[in-house]
Amino acid sequence: MSLTVHTEQRGDVVVVAVAGELDMATAPQLQDQITDLLDKGRSRLVFDLSDVSFCDSTGLSVFVRAKNSCDEAGGVVRLAAPQRGVLRILEVSGLVEVLQTYPTVDQAVAGEPTPASS
């Protein structure tokens, strides 16, 4: 299955809508998009995961690298609306504690204090 990535500017936040399977074959496509955004000075990113049906460790590492890069640039990375299976992977890996995860894109954009993991 392929991966599609679309971006939408919402104020000072870029919503990165990801759809499909995020794995070893497709993760470089998302990484390229993130690198492009960072090169343009965009370091406040919300990843809309509502249409991601699968995410493996390669996909998780893309989010960790994005967080590290955005932190260095004074920005932030938030994950939004992961499907149950993807949320479970984040929980089992412990990344739900590291990557701010929200039940909706709007909450993630707003940076509301109640993440999905609470």
Side-chain angles (χ1 to χ4, degrees):
M1 181 170 197
S2 64
L3 187 78
T4 59
V5 181
H6 298 284
T7 60
E8 173 192 352
Q9 189 78 37
R10 290 202 202 174
D12 65 345
V13 174
V14 177
V15 175
V16 182
V18 185
E21 295 184 359
L22 186 53
D23 57 23
M24 189 169 62
T26 60
Q29 178 184 347
L30 180 57
Q31 184 62 57
D32 289 347
Q33 186 77 30
I34 294 166
T35 299
D36 186 52
L37 288 167
L38 290 168
D39 287 347
K40 292 177 181 174
R42 306 286 192 256
S43 61
R44 298 181 54 80
L45 307 179
V46 168
F47 291 94
D48 177 357
L49 305 181
S50 59
D51 291 325
V52 174
S53 56
F54 175 80
C55 181
D56 69 5
S57 61
T58 312
L60 294 178
S61 69
V62 170
F63 296 126
V64 171
R65 281 195 303 274
K67 180 191 183 326
N68 292 340
S69 296
C70 287
D71 285 353
E72 288 175 14
V76 66
V77 165
R78 298 183 186 119
L79 306 183
Q83 292 184 20
R84 176 176 283 156
V86 174
L87 181 58
R88 182 75 180 129
I89 291 166
L90 290 166
E91 291 170 342
V92 169
S93 67
L95 289 176
V96 77
E97 305 299 326
V98 176
L99 298 165
Q100 297 177 42
T101 306
Y102 293 81
T104 70
V105 172
D106 288 341
Q107 287 172 313
V109 168
E112 293 182 5
T114 311
S117 60
S118 295

